[in-house]
Each structure stands twice: as C-alpha cells, then as structure tokens.
C-alpha cells in the first residue's frame, strides 16, 4: 500500500469540515489527521486541535523563524490579518498510514512541492505524487445559503467577512487555477444537499484507488 496525504479542497461552505470528520472517523480508511494552523479566532463549535491549531501571531513568527512553516496564506480581512499555515511537525510522516487535511489550492501545491523536495526521506513516499487532491464542489447559490446559516449561528456573526470570502473564492478557485494545479474531473466530487452519502462513497473509492496505486 502506498500512503498518501489527501487534501480536501474547495470553496467556503462546500462541507469540507463535515466530510473531513466523517472520513477521519471511518475505521476502514485508517486516515490520520493532519491538522493545519491558523491565527484567526476560534469559531463557535470548533475545538483546538480538531479543525485547526489556533495560535497567536507571535507563535506563527516563532514557527516561521524556526523554519517549520511549510506553506502559509495570509488574508487581510475586515477583522485584521488572518493566517492559515502548515507546520512540519510530527504529523507529516507517512511511514505507517495516510493523512487527511483540509486546505486551499495554494496549500495543496506548496505541500506537494515540499514533499517533492523531501522525496527519498523516510516517511515521505513518492515525492509530489504523495499529495492527492480531493476537490469538493457545490453550486454557488447553495453554498451561499449554507454560509449564511452557519454564520448566523455564531456568537458574533461576521457577515461582511462572509461576503468577502465568498467573492474571493471565485478567483481563488478559478477554472484556470484548478487546471494549473493539475486538478481534473477525477479529482472533483459534488456535495449537493441531500447527497452527502454519495459524495462520501465516491471519496472513499478514490482514496482506496490511490493507496493501491491506481
């Protein structure tokens, strides 16, 4: 079996976090959680070490100065600078099992490049081919409804930031950028309302195929 780092990608409110929770809990898959880091405030319902490691800007600087930041994305939001980043900690090791993480196109390509550079090192598998995209897609209208409902449940809803991110996703996941990252129809999985089970089955099939080297 060829162990991989599977990256769940997609625009906001496509259900990535929910899908992540289902896949990571499936005993048949035996995927290990690769938790990324962020400096944004924790949201209602989130837990430290589950969705993200929530750290301060000072901690980000410490990790960066130590050379441990694999990739990072900085967003100038209406609430200040929010960073999302991956750290070269003990989780990036494929010796015993595959990993699952949630990210963006930028984090996916940066992680793929990191593994390419470390190809041949114990625990890094087959270089850039170790990192596999799982792109989740939802129609924009449905996605906007989900985003609003989620934000409405927060103690302090950030509707302006919701709108900023929704618009930014159009550019961040433009068709030409998906193509440049090598993401094809085979890597794309639709997750419309009422069909989550179908999406999960398709993802599990893809994960199994990639681990078997298909």
């Amino acid at each position: 079996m060829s162990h991989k780092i599977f990256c769940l990608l997609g625009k906001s409110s496509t259900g990535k976090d929910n899908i992540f929770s289902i896949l990571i809990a499936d005993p048949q898959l035996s995927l290990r959680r690769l938790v990324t880091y962020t400096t944004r405030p924790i949201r209602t319902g989130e837990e430290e070490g589950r969705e993200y490691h929530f750290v301060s800007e000072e901690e980000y600087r410490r990790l960066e100065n130590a050379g441990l930041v694999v990739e990072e994305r900085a967003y100038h939001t209406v609430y200040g600078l929010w960073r999302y980043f991956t750290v070269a900690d003990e989780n990036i090791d494929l010796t015993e099992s595959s990993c699952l993480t949630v990210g963006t196109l930028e984090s996916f390509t940066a992680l793929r490049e990191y593994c390419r550079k470390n190809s041949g090192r114990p625990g890094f598998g087959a270089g850039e081919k170790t990192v596999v995209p799982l792109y989740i897609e939802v129609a924009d209208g449905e996605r906007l409804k989900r985003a609003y409902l989620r934000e409405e449940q927060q103690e302090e809803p950030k509707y302006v930031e919701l709108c900023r991110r929704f618009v930014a996703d159009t550019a961040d996941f433009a068709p030409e950028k998906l193509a440049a990252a090598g993401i094809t129809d085979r890597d794309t999985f639709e997750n419309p309302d009422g069909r989550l089970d179908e999406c999960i089955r398709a993802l599990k099939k893809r994960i199994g195929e990639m681990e078997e080297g298909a």
Side-chain angles (χ1 to χ4, degrees):
M1 178 174 288
S2 177
H3 294 142
K4 308 288 185 182
I5 298 175
F6 293 101
C7 292
L8 282 171
L9 311 171
K11 298 174 182 176
S12 57
S13 301
T14 52
K16 299 185 298 296
D17 290 339
N18 189 27
I19 289 171
F20 179 92
S21 298
I22 293 171
L23 294 178
I24 209 74
D26 192 319
Q28 293 181 327
L29 297 177
S30 298
L31 295 171
R32 190 158 45 83
R33 184 187 301 262
L34 198 170
V35 183
T36 54
Y37 292 62
T38 184
T39 60
R40 76 154 168 79
I42 190 169
R43 292 173 178 156
T44 304
E46 292 181 329
E47 292 182 14
E48 159 60 29
R50 187 179 67 186
E51 287 81 10
Y52 295 98
H53 291 300
F54 296 92
V55 299
S56 64
E57 178 71 14
E58 290 72 25
E59 177 63 6
Y60 161 78
R61 293 294 181 189
R62 185 191 70 78
L63 292 167
E64 183 187 42
N65 291 336
L68 296 176
V69 176
V70 174
E71 59 81 26
E72 69 105 359
R73 293 137 281 139
Y75 299 100
H76 294 275
T77 77
V78 295
Y79 299 96
L81 179 66
W82 290 355
R83 299 185 190 275
Y84 295 80
F85 55 102
T86 303
V87 172
D89 55 18
E90 67 279 1
N91 286 312
I92 303 183
D93 184 345
L94 305 176
T95 305
E96 298 183 357
S97 65
S98 293
C99 295
L100 182 67
T101 189
V102 177
T104 65
L105 278 183
E106 291 173 317
S107 64
F108 161 68
T109 55
L111 187 56
R112 185 172 60 184
E113 176 64 12
Y114 178 84
C115 287
R116 184 191 68 78
K117 290 180 178 178
N118 285 276
S119 181
R121 282 180 54 190
F124 279 90
E128 64 181 22
K129 293 182 179 179
T130 298
V131 187
V132 178
L134 303 172
Y135 180 64
I136 310 302
E137 194 166 62
V138 173
D140 281 348
E142 187 171 327
R143 194 165 60 85
L144 185 57
K145 291 177 185 176
R146 293 183 188 182
Y148 175 80
L149 291 173
R150 182 179 69 181
E151 201 62 36
E152 191 178 35
Q153 296 171 9
Q154 301 300 308
E155 291 182 6
E156 295 183 15
K158 297 178 172 61
Y159 296 117
V160 175
E161 172 58 21
L162 181 159
C163 294
R164 184 208 63 80
R165 186 172 182 183
F166 188 86
V167 173
D169 280 340
T170 301
D172 292 344
F173 291 93
E176 59 271 21
K177 290 188 177 181
L178 291 171
I183 294 176
T184 66
D185 290 344
R186 192 182 183 195
D187 306 309
T188 303
F189 305 85
E190 295 187 4
N191 183 32
D193 284 347
R195 290 172 53 188
L196 176 60
D197 289 346
E198 293 179 26
C199 182
I200 295 295
R201 282 196 296 270
L203 286 163
K204 289 176 64 174
K205 180 181 179 183
R206 177 65 166 155
I207 289 169
E209 289 173 348
M210 294 307 296
E211 289 189 322
E212 293 299 327

